[in-house]
Structures are given as structure tokens and as C-alpha cells.
Amino acid sequence: MNTKPATSLPTRRVGPFEVSAIGLGCMNLSHAYGQPPAREQAAALLHRALDLGVTLLDTAALYGFGGNESLLGELLAGQRDRYVLASKCGMQGVDGVRVIDGRPETIKATCEDSLRRLRTDVIDLYQLHRWDKSVPIEDSVGALADLVRAGKIRSIGLSEVSATTLRRAHAVHPIAAVQSEYSPWTRNPEIAVLDACRDIGAAFIAFSPVGRGFLTDTVLDLATFDARDIRRAMPRFSAENHAANRALLTQLHPIATAAGCTLAQLSLAWLLSRANHIIPIPGTTSIAHLEENMAALDVTLSAAQLAHIDQVMAPGAVKGGRYSGQNQGEVDTEEF
């Protein structure tokens, strides 16, 4: 098993920035998977990430309904020059309810709130968390372009959009990145948006690159999920689908063993091999897992191993949708 922490990380490009080839998704520190870690644990994780050379930190107004941005602002005070800061707008908490709102005035107001919480005067990459389909994408991106001109943000990203929507947005203002779910068990970016990103020079930021924990083969008993864990509502994690999907992991274990890596590192190395504009952002609350993830940069998979992963995890092999019906209707991604 490869557990050597990375000390000098390779980089990839997001807009005008060179960032570590694996970033850190910060959602887990405040949101989505049950009880968040104690403040001291979150601080230790963030500081260890910076010490390892992680230079892309990703948060959002939604996470913890502003709490995640506040956490980063507080815990990383005085260290702003050590990382590229990515956050998101267009989906946030309003009176305790998650709301998608891409109106220009809302985007601009959310940005001001985020800047205050993050204790910074500029956000490096500001992403539209969801396209509000009641608002033309051109209008939402136009508001983001206004924020660039005002010096509030440095570059623009989109999340969970199709290639068609990306191209419409890019016609208004250059798009530096698209962020969507991508891993061996979520292959839909390969339909079109990965190529569209390459064509326009945008990075592709892959969230949930280890399948919300599934691809680590540590999600064994669904009954242990916290009542607030978002995976409870995801069809792939239903009892029937989870059992069928775990059968796929039995075919990945020998590949990881032959490569001398963990299953998490196998997925991350697979992602990094797909294209040079892909940047995974695994999230974790564990320093041990953080170090394991970063050590994936030392893993090299052979062409035969990559082809074997592709075969095992081919589109259609995984049972169940990645979102519930309502949440699936909120995204704009191509689907197999």
C-alpha cells in the first residue's frame, strides 16, 4: 500500500492559476455527511493539507449554509497567499432551506457575503453551483463577469452543466473551470463536457472522485449513515443497488494490489490519467485519508490496468442514479 505523503506536488492549471494536481474539497468539514468534525480537527486537517502542498481549496456558500466559508476564513486567517480559493454561488441556504437562485442580484449579494465570511477581498475561482434554469445562463454569467470587472473575483466556473450550456456561458465570458462529479463509477462527463472543457481551455474539477466513499470499499453498512447523510437519498446507496455495486469492487481489488495502492488511490490515479486538465478534489475529515489521497500522485497505472478499470466500471455497470429524481432535475449534465 502506498502511504508516502506527497511533499512536492505536481500542478495543473485553472484559469490563470497553477494549483496542486489534487485539491481539497472542504464540504465534509461542515456539511452533507452527518455530524461535522470538531473545529480543532478541521483546523488540523486544513493546516496539514497546506503543509503537504495542496493549493486548491474548494468551498461554497451552500456548505453549512455559510458555515464552511466562515470556518475557512477563521482557521486560515493570515495564510491566504498559500492557496487558490474556490467558492460557489447560485445555491445557498435561505431561512434553513436550500435554494437555487441564479438571478444577477442574488449572485452579487452572495459574493459579498462570501467575501466577508472568507475574510478576503477576492475569490480566485467563483463557480455557479447550479444553473438556475429559470434564468438564462447568459444573465448569471454576466453577473459573474461584472464581479470580475469589479475585482471581487478573479475567474469564473460552472458546476454540473452540459457542454452546450458551457459553450453558451463561455461566449459571455471565458470560463476557467467546470466542476462536476467524476470517478470510475460516474462516467457521464466523458459524453461531452470533458472535451468541451479541453476545447475552450477550461479545467475540469472532479468532485466525489472516490464515489462519496463507495470506491474505498469502506461503506459496508448503510444503516450506520447519520440521519442527515445525503447518501441516504441517493439511489446508488439503496440496499439493493449498494449490494450489486459492491460486487464491482471485488474486481478492482486485484488491480489496486498489483499497482501497490489503495482503492482510493486507484480511483484518483485513474482520474489523473484521463486528461491533463482534470483536477480531483477529494474531501475528508481524516488526516490519514488526506495523506493517502495526496500519495495517489505517486501511483502510476499501466495501460492494461487502466483498460481493466474502464471495463469493470463501464457506463451502465453501476446500478442506480447518482441523485434522487428532484436533485437530478436540478442539474444540467449529460447522462448515459
Side-chain angles (χ1 to χ4, degrees):
M1 182 177 71
N2 187 344
T3 58
K4 182 177 82 67
T7 54
S8 180
L9 303 184
T11 61
R12 294 189 172 184
R13 179 162 287 278
V14 179
F17 307 105
E18 288 287 337
V19 302
S20 52
I22 296 178
L24 177 65
C26 298
M27 180 180 75
N28 303 48
L29 301 179
S30 306
H31 188 86
Y33 296 115
Q35 182 65 32
R39 187 177 185 278
E40 295 75 17
Q41 183 180 344
L45 182 94
L46 289 169
H47 294 149
R48 180 60 177 149
L50 294 183
D51 288 344
L52 286 170
V54 177
T55 56
L56 176 63
L57 303 183
D58 181 84
T59 182
L62 176 70
Y63 303 158
F65 287 10
N68 195 245
E69 290 181 325
S70 294
L71 187 73
L72 265 63
E74 294 167 8
L75 298 183
L76 298 179
Q79 302 185 72
R80 182 66 180 84
D81 61 344
R82 297 184 65 188
Y83 59 93
V84 171
L85 174 62
S87 192
K88 307 180 197 73
C89 61
M91 184 163 65
Q92 56 271 329
V94 178
D95 297 327
V97 177
R98 181 178 64 88
V99 173
I100 295 174
D101 186 347
R103 293 175 296 172
E105 60 270 27
T106 302
I107 287 172
K108 292 177 180 180
T110 303
C111 182
E112 294 296 338
D113 291 340
S114 292
L115 291 169
R116 173 180 48 79
R117 290 189 292 255
L118 289 162
R119 302 187 183 188
T120 187
D121 57 1
V122 65
I123 296 169
D124 298 315
L125 174 66
Y126 205 41
Q127 304 154 101
L128 189 66
H129 206 157
R130 290 291 185 273
W131 173 31
D132 179 351
K133 297 173 186 176
S134 69
V135 178
I137 190 66
E138 291 83 359
D139 291 356
S140 295
V141 173
L144 292 168
D146 288 343
L147 290 170
V148 172
R149 287 187 284 270
K152 305 285 186 179
I153 67 176
R154 291 193 170 108
S155 61
I156 296 173
L158 306 174
S159 180
E160 295 276 46
V161 298
S162 65
T164 298
T165 302
L166 171 59
R167 293 185 189 281
R168 285 174 55 190
H170 188 67
V172 175
H173 187 281
I175 302 300
V178 170
Q179 181 172 152
S180 285
E181 184 175 355
Y182 189 29
S183 72
W185 89 327
T186 298
R187 303 281 296 274
N188 54 291
E190 296 171 8
I191 298 172
V193 78
L194 272 178
D195 286 346
C197 285
R198 182 200 60 214
D199 292 346
I200 67 171
F204 184 93
I205 299 175
F207 74 76
S208 297
V210 294
R212 303 184 187 275
F214 173 81
L215 293 171
T216 68
D217 202 15
T218 58
V219 181
L220 306 179
D221 184 0
L222 304 181
T224 63
F225 284 171
D226 187 277
R228 295 168 293 176
D229 194 312
I230 61 174
R231 292 173 292 185
R232 284 184 171 272
M234 294 178 172
R236 288 184 177 182
F237 288 96
S238 72
E240 180 180 0
N241 288 333
H242 183 252
N245 291 332
R246 284 206 67 221
L248 298 173
L249 294 177
T250 64
Q251 301 176 67
L252 295 183
H253 276 289
I255 307 174
T257 299
C261 68
T262 67
L263 282 178
Q265 291 169 343
L266 188 77
S267 293
L268 292 167
W270 177 89
L271 271 173
L272 291 166
S273 77
R274 306 300 284 179
N276 289 333
H277 63 295
I278 296 171
I279 303 168
I281 52 166
T284 185
T285 61
S286 161
I287 288 179
H289 290 163
L290 169 70
E291 293 176 347
E292 175 188 347
N293 291 339
M294 293 307 125
L297 291 162
D298 296 328
V299 175
T300 300
L301 301 176
S302 70
Q305 289 166 337
L306 292 168
H308 195 178
I309 297 169
D310 285 351
Q311 178 186 16
V312 172
M313 306 300 292
V318 177
K319 304 302 180 185
R322 63 192 185 100
Y323 288 131
S324 66
Q326 176 184 339
N327 290 341
Q328 184 61 46
E330 294 171 349
V331 302
D332 177 51
T333 54
E334 295 91 355
E335 301 293 330
F336 284 108

